[in-house]
Structure formats: C-alpha cells, structure tokens
C-alpha cells in the first residue's frame, strides 16, 4: 500500500474554499485504477485539514495523480493557505 498525505493550514475565512478544492482533487481520481480510498479530514483543534489518498501502489499513484493536480491547478492556494502544504508519500515498512 502507498499513502499520500497532505497537511493544509487554511487562512481564516478560507476553510470552505480549501475544502472544496480538496474535494475536487479527490473527485478527479475517484475512479482511478489502484485508488483504494480518498479522504478530506479535519483536526479542528489544530486548525488543519488533511488530505489522505490510499493507493494499492506508488506506481498507481504516479499514473493518476496528474488528474487530481489538473483539477486544482488554477486554485489560488497562496490566498487560502496560511503556511506551505506539508506532503508525505508514505509506504508500509
């Protein structure tokens, strides 16, 4: 299994726009071969949003992630994000 995890820090008043973007990202890969699940999650106490995509393999991720990135390519993340996104590409060990 391969997990792609992204931690987002929305600016005040931009949470809903960022969530909508994360949902578009997930919808763009919903039918991708090898995708097991995709989630938009929130830790309200920490003020962060987390995107989590679970794939059968890193190769499946690499073959389809361009679809998700294209779906949000024009989104103004610099207006929505208070900090740079922290991304993780996680494999089972």
């Amino acid at each position: 299994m391969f997990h792609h995890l992204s931690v987002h820090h929305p600016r005040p008043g931009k949470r809903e726009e960022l969530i909508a973007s994360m949902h578009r990202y997930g919808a763009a890969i919903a039918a991708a071969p090898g995708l097991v699940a995709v989630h938009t999650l929130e830790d309200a106490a920490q003020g962060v949003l987390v995107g989590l995509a679970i794939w059968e393999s890193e190769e499946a991720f690499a073959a389809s992630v361009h679809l998700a990135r294209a779906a949000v390519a024009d989104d103004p993340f610099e207006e929505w994000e208070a900090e740079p996104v922290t991304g993780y590409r996680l494999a089972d060990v």
Side-chain angles (χ1 to χ4, degrees), residues 1 11 16-17 20 26 31 41 44 58-59 64 66 72 75 85 91:
M1 296 295 263
R11 290 184 189 274
E16 295 304 322
E17 290 96 328
L41 308 164
E58 188 170 3
E59 293 77 20
S64 296
H66 69 281
V72 299
D75 288 357
V85 175

Side-chain angles (χ1 to χ4, degrees), residues 2-92:
F2 177 79
H3 304 76
H4 183 238
L5 183 129
S6 299
V7 180
H8 301 263
H9 301 267
R11 290 184 189 274
K14 299 300 180 180
R15 176 181 168 275
E16 295 304 322
E17 290 96 328
L18 192 50
I19 289 171
S21 174
M22 293 172 75
H23 286 171
R24 285 192 301 280
Y25 184 102
I29 55 173
L35 180 70
V36 176
V38 63
H39 302 281
T40 299
L41 308 164
E42 180 177 37
D43 183 330
Q46 297 297 318
V48 298
L49 298 170
V50 176
L52 173 63
I54 303 169
W55 297 85
E56 291 176 357
S57 67
E58 188 170 3
E59 293 77 20
F61 163 80
S64 296
V65 70
H66 69 281
L67 300 170
R69 291 179 178 153
V72 299
D74 295 326
D75 288 357
F77 293 108
E78 66 282 352
E79 294 176 20
W80 298 344
E81 302 272 7
E83 310 179 11
V85 175
T86 304
Y88 300 93
R89 297 166 62 118
L90 307 167
D92 291 326

